[in-house]
mmCIF file of all heavy atoms in Angstrom:
data_model
loop_
_atom_site.group_PDB
_atom_site.id
_atom_site.type_symbol
_atom_site.label_atom_id
_atom_site.label_comp_id
_atom_site.label_asym_id
_atom_site.label_seq_id
_atom_site.Cartn_x
_atom_site.Cartn_y
_atom_site.Cartn_z
ATOM 1 N N ASP A 1 56.489 -103.971 103.536
ATOM 2 C CA ASP A 1 57.358 -103.637 102.386
ATOM 3 C C ASP A 1 56.273 -103.616 101.067
ATOM 4 O O ASP A 1 55.472 -104.395 101.107
ATOM 5 C CB ASP A 1 58.288 -104.757 102.131
ATOM 6 C CG ASP A 1 59.206 -104.538 100.953
ATOM 7 O OD1 ASP A 1 60.168 -103.648 101.060
ATOM 8 O OD2 ASP A 1 58.947 -105.163 99.892
ATOM 9 N N ASN A 2 56.580 -102.713 100.227
ATOM 10 C CA ASN A 2 55.900 -102.630 98.932
ATOM 11 C C ASN A 2 55.844 -103.970 98.105
ATOM 12 O O ASN A 2 54.930 -104.264 97.507
ATOM 13 C CB ASN A 2 56.359 -101.385 98.119
ATOM 14 C CG ASN A 2 55.804 -100.050 98.501
ATOM 15 O OD1 ASN A 2 54.994 -100.069 99.467
ATOM 16 N ND2 ASN A 2 56.142 -99.035 97.760
ATOM 17 N N GLY A 3 56.972 -104.676 98.241
ATOM 18 C CA GLY A 3 57.132 -106.005 97.541
ATOM 19 C C GLY A 3 56.045 -106.956 98.062
ATOM 20 O O GLY A 3 55.444 -107.626 97.299
ATOM 21 N N ARG A 4 55.753 -106.932 99.366
ATOM 22 C CA ARG A 4 54.759 -107.791 99.845
ATOM 23 C C ARG A 4 53.467 -107.311 99.453
ATOM 24 O O ARG A 4 52.577 -108.082 99.220
ATOM 25 C CB ARG A 4 54.915 -107.785 101.414
ATOM 26 C CG ARG A 4 53.717 -108.569 102.196
ATOM 27 C CD ARG A 4 53.897 -110.014 101.962
ATOM 28 N NE ARG A 4 54.860 -110.643 102.826
ATOM 29 C CZ ARG A 4 55.215 -111.999 102.689
ATOM 30 N NH1 ARG A 4 54.662 -112.679 101.806
ATOM 31 N NH2 ARG A 4 56.109 -112.462 103.517
ATOM 32 N N VAL A 5 53.155 -105.958 99.499
ATOM 33 C CA VAL A 5 51.818 -105.398 99.160
ATOM 34 C C VAL A 5 51.569 -105.906 97.756
ATOM 35 O O VAL A 5 50.478 -106.365 97.448
ATOM 36 C CB VAL A 5 51.782 -103.871 99.138
ATOM 37 C CG1 VAL A 5 50.523 -103.372 98.487
ATOM 38 C CG2 VAL A 5 52.003 -103.389 100.525
ATOM 39 N N ARG A 6 52.541 -105.761 96.892
ATOM 40 C CA ARG A 6 52.255 -106.158 95.335
ATOM 41 C C ARG A 6 52.170 -107.707 95.223
ATOM 42 O O ARG A 6 51.369 -108.165 94.423
ATOM 43 C CB ARG A 6 53.436 -105.759 94.551
ATOM 44 C CG ARG A 6 53.189 -105.656 93.032
ATOM 45 C CD ARG A 6 54.165 -105.081 92.162
ATOM 46 N NE ARG A 6 54.385 -103.693 92.458
ATOM 47 C CZ ARG A 6 55.091 -102.867 91.769
ATOM 48 N NH1 ARG A 6 55.708 -103.301 90.676
ATOM 49 N NH2 ARG A 6 55.284 -101.574 92.136
ATOM 50 N N GLN A 7 52.819 -108.476 96.054
ATOM 51 C CA GLN A 7 52.671 -109.934 96.060
ATOM 52 C C GLN A 7 51.239 -110.317 96.593
ATOM 53 O O GLN A 7 50.643 -111.124 95.729
ATOM 54 C CB GLN A 7 53.638 -110.573 97.110
ATOM 55 C CG GLN A 7 53.360 -112.183 96.986
ATOM 56 C CD GLN A 7 54.055 -112.734 98.236
ATOM 57 O OE1 GLN A 7 54.248 -112.077 99.382
ATOM 58 N NE2 GLN A 7 54.404 -114.099 98.232
ATOM 59 N N MET A 8 50.612 -109.593 97.422
ATOM 60 C CA MET A 8 49.340 -109.875 97.766
ATOM 61 C C MET A 8 48.340 -109.709 96.680
ATOM 62 O O MET A 8 47.359 -110.307 96.495
ATOM 63 C CB MET A 8 48.844 -109.103 98.955
ATOM 64 C CG MET A 8 49.770 -109.533 100.251
ATOM 65 S SD MET A 8 50.044 -111.257 100.546
ATOM 66 C CE MET A 8 48.357 -111.672 101.080
ATOM 67 N N TRP A 9 48.633 -108.588 95.862
ATOM 68 C CA TRP A 9 47.823 -108.358 94.699
ATOM 69 C C TRP A 9 47.941 -109.409 93.711
ATOM 70 O O TRP A 9 46.888 -109.952 93.195
ATOM 71 C CB TRP A 9 48.194 -106.975 94.085
ATOM 72 C CG TRP A 9 47.561 -106.663 92.754
ATOM 73 C CD1 TRP A 9 46.217 -106.867 92.412
ATOM 74 C CD2 TRP A 9 48.331 -106.303 91.587
ATOM 75 N NE1 TRP A 9 46.167 -106.529 91.179
ATOM 76 C CE2 TRP A 9 47.417 -106.204 90.551
ATOM 77 C CE3 TRP A 9 49.733 -105.983 91.368
ATOM 78 C CZ2 TRP A 9 47.720 -105.750 89.245
ATOM 79 C CZ3 TRP A 9 50.035 -105.609 90.071
ATOM 80 C CH2 TRP A 9 49.120 -105.391 89.084
ATOM 81 N N HIS A 10 49.120 -109.921 93.338
ATOM 82 C CA HIS A 10 49.331 -110.969 92.498
ATOM 83 C C HIS A 10 48.718 -112.255 92.903
ATOM 84 O O HIS A 10 48.243 -113.018 92.014
ATOM 85 C CB HIS A 10 50.908 -111.158 92.271
ATOM 86 C CG HIS A 10 51.600 -110.094 91.603
ATOM 87 N ND1 HIS A 10 52.931 -110.192 91.287
ATOM 88 C CD2 HIS A 10 51.075 -108.971 91.001
ATOM 89 C CE1 HIS A 10 53.226 -109.165 90.478
ATOM 90 N NE2 HIS A 10 52.211 -108.339 90.384
ATOM 91 N N LEU A 11 48.611 -112.548 94.184
ATOM 92 C CA LEU A 11 48.034 -113.702 94.648
ATOM 93 C C LEU A 11 46.513 -113.605 94.719
ATOM 94 O O LEU A 11 45.726 -114.646 94.405
ATOM 95 C CB LEU A 11 48.521 -113.959 96.207
ATOM 96 C CG LEU A 11 49.836 -114.496 96.191
ATOM 97 C CD1 LEU A 11 50.284 -114.495 97.756
ATOM 98 C CD2 LEU A 11 49.954 -116.004 95.728
ATOM 99 N N LEU A 12 45.890 -112.391 94.966
ATOM 100 C CA LEU A 12 44.474 -112.148 95.162
ATOM 101 C C LEU A 12 43.699 -111.954 93.943
ATOM 102 O O LEU A 12 42.588 -112.295 93.744
ATOM 103 C CB LEU A 12 44.190 -111.215 96.207
ATOM 104 C CG LEU A 12 44.510 -111.611 97.713
ATOM 105 C CD1 LEU A 12 44.507 -110.335 98.511
ATOM 106 C CD2 LEU A 12 43.443 -112.628 98.216
ATOM 107 N N GLU A 13 44.388 -111.270 93.101
ATOM 108 C CA GLU A 13 43.720 -110.907 91.766
ATOM 109 C C GLU A 13 43.196 -112.086 90.940
ATOM 110 O O GLU A 13 41.975 -112.103 90.553
ATOM 111 C CB GLU A 13 44.718 -110.083 90.820
ATOM 112 C CG GLU A 13 44.091 -109.630 89.546
ATOM 113 C CD GLU A 13 43.071 -108.612 89.612
ATOM 114 O OE1 GLU A 13 43.132 -107.910 90.609
ATOM 115 O OE2 GLU A 13 42.118 -108.454 88.801
ATOM 116 N N PRO A 14 43.890 -113.248 90.727
ATOM 117 C CA PRO A 14 43.322 -114.367 90.087
ATOM 118 C C PRO A 14 42.091 -115.023 90.742
ATOM 119 O O PRO A 14 41.163 -115.446 90.241
ATOM 120 C CB PRO A 14 44.463 -115.340 89.962
ATOM 121 C CG PRO A 14 45.704 -114.445 90.144
ATOM 122 C CD PRO A 14 45.461 -113.406 91.075
ATOM 123 N N LEU A 15 42.183 -114.834 92.232
ATOM 124 C CA LEU A 15 41.134 -115.516 92.970
ATOM 125 C C LEU A 15 39.768 -114.698 92.797
ATOM 126 O O LEU A 15 38.629 -115.185 92.721
ATOM 127 C CB LEU A 15 41.429 -115.531 94.510
ATOM 128 C CG LEU A 15 42.724 -116.271 94.815
ATOM 129 C CD1 LEU A 15 42.781 -116.403 96.315
ATOM 130 C CD2 LEU A 15 42.888 -117.461 94.191
ATOM 131 N N HIS A 16 39.919 -113.347 92.652
ATOM 132 C CA HIS A 16 38.860 -112.486 92.285
ATOM 133 C C HIS A 16 38.396 -112.726 90.857
ATOM 134 O O HIS A 16 37.139 -112.751 90.528
ATOM 135 C CB HIS A 16 39.181 -111.071 92.612
ATOM 136 C CG HIS A 16 38.362 -110.186 91.711
ATOM 137 N ND1 HIS A 16 36.966 -109.730 92.094
ATOM 138 C CD2 HIS A 16 38.474 -109.338 90.683
ATOM 139 C CE1 HIS A 16 36.548 -108.864 91.244
ATOM 140 N NE2 HIS A 16 37.424 -108.754 90.290
ATOM 141 N N ALA A 17 39.361 -112.614 90.047
ATOM 142 C CA ALA A 17 39.028 -112.510 88.457
ATOM 143 C C ALA A 17 38.281 -113.660 87.902
ATOM 144 O O ALA A 17 37.693 -113.536 86.794
ATOM 145 C CB ALA A 17 40.231 -112.331 87.748
ATOM 146 N N VAL A 18 38.291 -114.765 88.568
ATOM 147 C CA VAL A 18 37.427 -115.943 88.025
ATOM 148 C C VAL A 18 36.085 -115.599 87.735
ATOM 149 O O VAL A 18 35.367 -116.081 86.829
ATOM 150 C CB VAL A 18 37.467 -117.188 88.870
ATOM 151 C CG1 VAL A 18 38.805 -117.690 88.994
ATOM 152 C CG2 VAL A 18 36.925 -116.912 90.255
ATOM 153 N N VAL A 19 35.422 -114.517 88.467
ATOM 154 C CA VAL A 19 34.017 -114.182 88.241
ATOM 155 C C VAL A 19 33.747 -113.639 86.712
ATOM 156 O O VAL A 19 32.715 -113.855 86.295
ATOM 157 C CB VAL A 19 33.696 -112.996 89.330
ATOM 158 C CG1 VAL A 19 34.428 -111.744 88.984
ATOM 159 C CG2 VAL A 19 32.243 -112.864 89.344
ATOM 160 N N TYR A 20 34.856 -113.130 86.113
ATOM 161 C CA TYR A 20 34.644 -112.679 84.770
ATOM 162 C C TYR A 20 34.903 -113.633 83.705
ATOM 163 O O TYR A 20 34.646 -113.427 82.539
ATOM 164 C CB TYR A 20 35.621 -111.439 84.560
ATOM 165 C CG TYR A 20 35.324 -110.291 85.554
ATOM 166 C CD1 TYR A 20 36.303 -109.928 86.371
ATOM 167 C CD2 TYR A 20 33.955 -109.858 85.805
ATOM 168 C CE1 TYR A 20 36.067 -108.888 87.357
ATOM 169 C CE2 TYR A 20 33.721 -108.804 86.661
ATOM 170 C CZ TYR A 20 34.786 -108.398 87.456
ATOM 171 O OH TYR A 20 34.638 -107.446 88.404
ATOM 172 N N TYR A 21 35.289 -114.873 84.034
ATOM 173 C CA TYR A 21 35.655 -115.894 83.181
ATOM 174 C C TYR A 21 35.115 -117.215 83.296
ATOM 175 O O TYR A 21 35.025 -118.107 82.376
ATOM 176 C CB TYR A 21 37.178 -116.132 83.089
ATOM 177 C CG TYR A 21 37.917 -114.959 82.635
ATOM 178 C CD1 TYR A 21 38.491 -113.916 83.603
ATOM 179 C CD2 TYR A 21 38.145 -114.553 81.368
ATOM 180 C CE1 TYR A 21 39.228 -112.836 83.290
ATOM 181 C CE2 TYR A 21 38.895 -113.399 80.942
ATOM 182 C CZ TYR A 21 39.444 -112.657 81.934
ATOM 183 O OH TYR A 21 40.059 -111.494 81.476
ATOM 184 N N ALA A 22 34.635 -117.567 84.567
ATOM 185 C CA ALA A 22 34.074 -118.925 84.839
ATOM 186 C C ALA A 22 32.824 -119.229 84.137
ATOM 187 O O ALA A 22 31.838 -118.396 84.011
ATOM 188 C CB ALA A 22 33.902 -119.067 86.382
ATOM 189 N N PRO A 23 32.620 -120.323 83.479
ATOM 190 C CA PRO A 23 31.411 -120.727 82.745
ATOM 191 C C PRO A 23 30.241 -120.744 83.683
ATOM 192 O O PRO A 23 29.066 -120.448 83.205
ATOM 193 C CB PRO A 23 31.748 -122.028 82.116
ATOM 194 C CG PRO A 23 32.838 -122.679 82.898
ATOM 195 C CD PRO A 23 33.686 -121.424 83.375
ATOM 196 N N GLN A 24 30.436 -121.061 84.921
ATOM 197 C CA GLN A 24 29.321 -121.093 85.915
ATOM 198 C C GLN A 24 28.755 -119.752 86.207
ATOM 199 O O GLN A 24 27.481 -119.667 86.370
ATOM 200 C CB GLN A 24 29.736 -121.670 87.277
ATOM 201 C CG GLN A 24 30.309 -123.224 87.210
ATOM 202 C CD GLN A 24 31.697 -123.324 86.801
ATOM 203 O OE1 GLN A 24 32.354 -122.319 86.420
ATOM 204 N NE2 GLN A 24 32.208 -124.559 86.847
ATOM 205 N N VAL A 25 29.579 -118.654 86.156
ATOM 206 C CA VAL A 25 29.032 -117.383 86.253
ATOM 207 C C VAL A 25 28.412 -116.957 85.028
ATOM 208 O O VAL A 25 27.402 -116.335 85.107
ATOM 209 C CB VAL A 25 30.298 -116.421 86.629
ATOM 210 C CG1 VAL A 25 29.732 -114.972 86.737
ATOM 211 C CG2 VAL A 25 31.025 -116.934 87.880
ATOM 212 N N PHE A 26 28.937 -117.318 83.870
ATOM 213 C CA PHE A 26 28.200 -116.992 82.617
ATOM 214 C C PHE A 26 26.832 -117.616 82.542
ATOM 215 O O PHE A 26 25.941 -117.045 82.120
ATOM 216 C CB PHE A 26 29.016 -117.514 81.417
ATOM 217 C CG PHE A 26 30.232 -116.674 81.024
ATOM 218 C CD1 PHE A 26 31.423 -117.260 80.772
ATOM 219 C CD2 PHE A 26 30.155 -115.317 81.046
ATOM 220 C CE1 PHE A 26 32.536 -116.455 80.352
ATOM 221 C CE2 PHE A 26 31.213 -114.499 80.807
ATOM 222 C CZ PHE A 26 32.528 -115.097 80.397
ATOM 223 N N GLU A 27 26.763 -118.873 83.055
ATOM 224 C CA GLU A 27 25.448 -119.485 83.119
ATOM 225 C C GLU A 27 24.447 -118.727 83.902
ATOM 226 O O GLU A 27 23.297 -118.576 83.639
ATOM 227 C CB GLU A 27 25.555 -121.005 83.633
ATOM 228 C CG GLU A 27 26.274 -121.869 82.649
ATOM 229 C CD GLU A 27 26.597 -123.247 83.224
ATOM 230 O OE1 GLU A 27 26.300 -123.421 84.338
ATOM 231 O OE2 GLU A 27 27.288 -124.065 82.599
ATOM 232 N N GLU A 28 24.816 -118.310 85.163
ATOM 233 C CA GLU A 28 24.023 -117.591 86.051
ATOM 234 C C GLU A 28 23.552 -116.235 85.394
ATOM 235 O O GLU A 28 22.448 -115.968 85.476
ATOM 236 C CB GLU A 28 24.777 -117.313 87.322
ATOM 237 C CG GLU A 28 25.027 -118.565 88.210
ATOM 238 C CD GLU A 28 23.737 -119.202 88.781
ATOM 239 O OE1 GLU A 28 22.569 -118.543 88.810
ATOM 240 O OE2 GLU A 28 23.956 -120.267 89.119
ATOM 241 N N LEU A 29 24.536 -115.463 84.760
ATOM 242 C CA LEU A 29 24.132 -114.293 84.201
ATOM 243 C C LEU A 29 23.317 -114.554 82.843
ATOM 244 O O LEU A 29 22.391 -113.778 82.480
ATOM 245 C CB LEU A 29 25.290 -113.536 83.783
ATOM 246 C CG LEU A 29 25.913 -112.569 84.808
ATOM 247 C CD1 LEU A 29 24.967 -111.306 85.011
ATOM 248 C CD2 LEU A 29 26.060 -113.252 86.168
ATOM 249 N N GLY A 30 23.576 -115.553 82.141
ATOM 250 C CA GLY A 30 22.762 -115.886 80.988
ATOM 251 C C GLY A 30 21.295 -116.302 81.450
ATOM 252 O O GLY A 30 20.441 -115.859 80.606
ATOM 253 N N SER A 31 21.204 -116.965 82.557
ATOM 254 C CA SER A 31 19.880 -117.185 82.813
ATOM 255 C C SER A 31 19.075 -115.951 83.199
ATOM 256 O O SER A 31 17.699 -116.024 83.270
ATOM 257 C CB SER A 31 19.884 -118.072 84.162
ATOM 258 O OG SER A 31 20.246 -117.402 85.340
#
């Protein structure tokens, strides 16, 4: 069902998106 497909996006997007906000990633890129 499309509703399930969209739910999986809602669940997985935050797990991916931490790469753009986490201070640990900023530290690695800053180095």
Side-chain angles (χ1 to χ4, degrees):
D1 180 80
N2 274 4
R4 175 68 82 182
V5 174
R6 197 171 302 190
Q7 179 199 27
M8 299 311 294
W9 169 47
H10 287 183
L11 287 170
L12 287 167
E13 179 69 30
L15 306 191
H16 157 78
V18 294
V19 69
Y20 303 123
Y21 297 96
Q24 296 85 354
V25 180
F26 284 139
E27 288 171 7
E28 293 290 346
L29 269 289
S31 71

